[in-house]
Amino acid sequence: MNHTAIIRTCRYLTCALFMALGAKGAFAWTDKPVRMIVPAPPGGTIDIVARIVADELSTQIGQPVVVDNKPGAGGSIAVRSMLSSPPDGRTILLTASNVLTEVPQVLNVGFDPLKDVKPVVALARGVMVFVGSPGVPARDVKGVVAWVKANPGKLSYASYSSGTASQYAGAMFNKEAGLDLTHVPFPGSVPALTQVMGGQVPLMFDGVVTSKPLIAAGKIKVFGVASKTRWPQLPNVPTLAEQGYPDIDFRNWTGVVVPAKVSPALTEKIHAAVSRAAATPKVHDRLVSVGFEPMPDQSTAQLANDLRVEFERNARIVKSLDIKAD
């Protein structure tokens, strides 16, 4: 049994256990509507996950779960909105981990991601892909490098915000390949990809969820996966490691976090309810279909430790590359 099959089996068993323990609503932590803040515009990677999860979570807890998009400032607007709400569990944040572990390294976000925020559930993991405009005269990373070097000072790469893995990966590629690409940040994947499709900004490191359908439709090219292992849903696309860039390895998780002031008891109730929703075949299969790798359930303590490790790794990257906000 492969890794994905094991995760799927565990999720299904968890779901069956939850369903056996009580009827719908038994895991509700509130008798009022829940606001799920999303630090991205509609249609972006995190928004896709939020709407998949919110729909099932609403069914499971018997309360409306309203998605509230608050993009901008690398996600810090959304985090601050959550932190300004009462810590009663009625306001949660569904975010990619990079909002907490990458952006604060570069931008003044106005919160401490390791003290003010508490991770609750990691739902799925995504990977970065190196993509480009259809008109880029290259089929792989080697070809991209040759093309950029033949056009010194003329080319750029997009990111879905300053201080994110999208910028980090581009900066690492720039340095390791000896290139002079200019960084052009955008407020989210969708506006950035629009420019890449149109050729205004030819290159980008993006999350696989938003890039995958465009790759399939031939609207953008894919040159590699920013990981040490190939992504199951793009089995024929070589990794950056295979093409000589093993350090460009970015796989953020996406999940639910709450303010650190939320009580441990309430945090565990939210954890149980969201985990129950994620365990359903409907959510599992939908996450896989859009390009995510579902994750096994972790305790809040384990997730907090993972967050700290990721934060410290990104701090080292920023320092070594002297990455700054653009």
Side-chain angles (χ1 to χ4, degrees):
M1 183 178 294
N2 61 35
H3 181 63
T4 300
I6 292 172
I7 292 175
R8 181 170 182 162
T9 299
C10 290
R11 286 285 196 190
Y12 284 7
L13 289 174
T14 303
C15 180
L17 175 61
F18 283 152
M19 293 179 70
L21 289 174
K24 185 187 297 182
F27 282 80
W29 67 88
T30 178
D31 59 358
K32 294 180 174 62
V34 172
R35 180 169 66 128
M36 179 182 284
I37 300 176
V38 180
T45 302
I46 309 175
D47 180 70
I48 291 171
V49 181
R51 295 182 188 278
I52 292 170
V53 175
D55 181 58
E56 182 61 27
L57 183 59
S58 178
T59 299
Q60 297 287 354
I61 69 175
Q63 295 295 331
V65 179
V66 181
V67 175
D68 184 4
N69 295 89
K70 289 190 175 297
S76 61
I77 291 174
V79 178
R80 290 198 301 269
S81 178
M82 177 191 70
L83 293 175
S84 68
S85 302
D88 56 8
R90 290 182 57 197
T91 301
I92 62 178
L93 176 72
L94 193 143
T95 183
S97 57
N98 70 291
V99 170
L100 304 175
T101 65
E102 296 166 6
V103 178
Q105 313 285 354
V106 176
L107 301 179
N108 182 10
V109 295
F111 63 88
D112 187 328
L114 300 182
K115 294 181 179 179
D116 299 332
V117 177
K118 182 189 299 183
V120 180
V121 179
L123 299 168
R125 190 180 298 279
V127 71
M128 302 285 292
V129 285
F130 185 30
V131 298
S133 305
V136 174
R139 294 186 297 178
D140 55 19
V141 174
K142 182 179 179 181
V144 170
V145 172
W147 176 60
V148 176
K149 287 187 175 181
N151 293 275
K154 298 179 181 180
L155 302 172
S156 56
Y157 72 95
S159 80
Y160 47 67
S161 183
S162 289
T164 65
S166 188
Q167 180 189 10
Y168 289 11
M172 293 177 75
F173 180 60
N174 235 358
K175 181 178 180 180
E176 294 185 12
L179 306 179
D180 61 356
L181 291 165
T182 300
H183 174 226
V184 183
F186 290 87
S189 288
V190 174
L193 287 169
T194 298
Q195 297 298 304
V196 173
M197 284 188 286
Q200 290 86 354
V201 184
L203 301 168
M204 180 180 180
F205 280 88
D206 184 48
V208 69
V209 175
T210 43
S211 282
K212 181 185 172 188
L214 301 178
I215 294 168
K219 295 182 177 180
I220 57 176
K221 288 183 173 182
V222 59
F223 307 116
V225 176
S227 171
K228 288 184 171 61
T229 57
R230 293 201 180 194
W231 199 245
Q233 296 183 47
L234 294 172
N236 297 321
V237 178
T239 65
L240 269 292
E242 290 176 73
Q243 299 182 74
Y245 302 90
D247 293 334
I248 305 178
D249 179 13
F250 292 92
R251 289 171 291 175
N252 291 325
W253 56 261
T254 296
V256 170
V257 304
V258 297
K261 292 180 180 179
V262 171
S263 70
L266 183 54
T267 299
E268 290 307 318
K269 288 181 180 179
I270 298 172
H271 173 92
V274 178
S275 294
R276 183 190 188 200
T280 62
K282 176 182 176 181
V283 172
H284 176 282
D285 293 348
R286 182 75 178 109
L287 289 173
V288 170
S289 73
V290 298
F292 280 106
E293 178 186 43
M295 295 176 65
D297 195 19
Q298 295 174 276
S299 70
T300 55
Q302 290 173 320
L303 195 54
N305 182 68
D306 288 350
L307 188 75
R308 182 176 295 277
V309 169
E310 192 174 320
F311 182 90
E312 292 172 350
R313 182 225 178 189
N314 287 321
R316 292 192 295 271
I317 291 174
V318 168
K319 184 177 180 179
S320 66
L321 295 178
D322 192 28
I323 295 175
K324 294 180 174 62
D326 292 300

